[in-house]
């Protein structure tokens, strides 16, 4: 059966992007599970903002990501419950909480760095191209993922990197 979303052209663009986003999140989750890394790919943006800023308020996260406050609060709760982040009260404004990585969060970040580099490399390869429209490029992207899943692409490169590091 033909993929109905393909036949909708630009009218199906939002649905295709959502489907692709969901697929990518599932594939990254497979990678984390395979590598025995307990991390939810949906938490990446908030976790990364905390990494970049070292200490950050929810307002700063919201401005940086343009997420809703409830979405940020939910991510903060999940990261806190996993003991990846902690907070302290701002000395100048006692109403503000400053979020930062815990030792466990720092260790996880260091473990994730090489994997994130490979994920970035593989997604760049899939998204670079000279298509004349976004839908044409989505066709290419989706076709490539049908040929070989994103998780397989990432895990193959990660395995190569691990072997290379073992040989050095």
């Amino acid at each position: 059966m033909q993929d109905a979303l393909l036949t909708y052209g630009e009218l199906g663009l939002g649905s295709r992007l959502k489907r692709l986003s969901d697929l990518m999140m599932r594939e990254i989750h497979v990678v984390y599970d395979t590598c025995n890394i307990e991390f939810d790919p949906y938490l990446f943006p908030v976790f990364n903002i905390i990494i970049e800023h070292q200490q950050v308020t929810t307002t700063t996260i919201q401005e940086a990501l343009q997420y809703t406050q409830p979405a940020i609060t939910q991510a903060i709760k999940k990261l806190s419950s996993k003991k990846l982040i902690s907070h302290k009260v701002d000395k100048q404004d006692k109403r503000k909480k400053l979020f930062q990585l815990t030792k466990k969060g720092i260790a996880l970040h260091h473990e994730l760095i090489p994997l994130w580099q490979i994920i970035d490399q593989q997604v760049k390869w899939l998204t670079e191209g000279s298509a004349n429209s976004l839908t044409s490029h989505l066709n290419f992207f989706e076709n490539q993922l049908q040929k070989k899943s994103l998780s397989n692409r990432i895990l193959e490169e990660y395995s190569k990197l691990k072997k290379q590091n073992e040989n050095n």
Side-chain angles (χ1 to χ4, degrees), residues 32-158:
Y32 291 153
D33 285 349
T34 303
C35 295
N36 295 314
I37 297 173
E38 194 175 319
F39 189 70
D40 182 344
Y42 288 97
L43 299 176
F44 166 77
V46 173
F47 188 66
N48 208 45
I49 290 293
I50 295 169
I51 291 166
E52 290 172 1
H53 290 269
Q54 295 176 352
Q55 288 188 336
V56 65
T57 64
T58 57
T59 302
T60 302
I61 296 169
Q62 184 177 15
E63 289 170 358
L65 298 176
Q66 299 178 20
Y67 281 11
T68 64
Q69 190 64 39
I72 292 166
T73 301
Q74 184 179 27
I76 292 287
K77 282 181 182 178
K78 286 181 181 179
L79 290 166
S80 294
S81 72
K82 294 179 181 291
K83 301 192 181 343
L84 297 175
I85 63 169
S86 63
H87 73 274
K88 63 183 182 180
V89 176
D90 187 329
K91 291 178 183 171
Q92 281 81 15
D93 186 345
K94 304 287 184 208
R95 298 170 295 171
K96 289 184 183 177
K97 291 181 181 176
L98 297 171
F99 294 93
Q100 61 201 11
L101 294 183
T102 61
K103 287 181 181 179
K104 183 178 177 182
I106 292 168
L108 177 64
H109 173 234
H110 289 295
E111 185 178 1
L112 287 168
I113 289 172
L115 201 50
W116 284 351
Q117 290 170 340
I118 292 168
I119 292 168
D120 185 60
Q121 171 195 55
Q122 292 302 307
V123 173
K124 275 183 184 167
W125 184 87
L126 289 165
T127 58
E128 289 178 344
S130 58
N132 57 3
S133 73
L134 182 54
T135 52
S136 296
H137 198 76
L138 275 175
N139 291 339
F140 170 79
F141 194 111
E142 291 170 336
N143 287 336
Q144 292 303 311
L145 292 178
Q146 285 178 352
K147 290 178 185 175
K148 185 191 287 187
S149 72
L150 181 59
S151 58
N152 283 339
R153 293 169 188 275
I154 294 165
L155 291 168
E156 285 175 8
E157 292 300 315
Y158 190 60

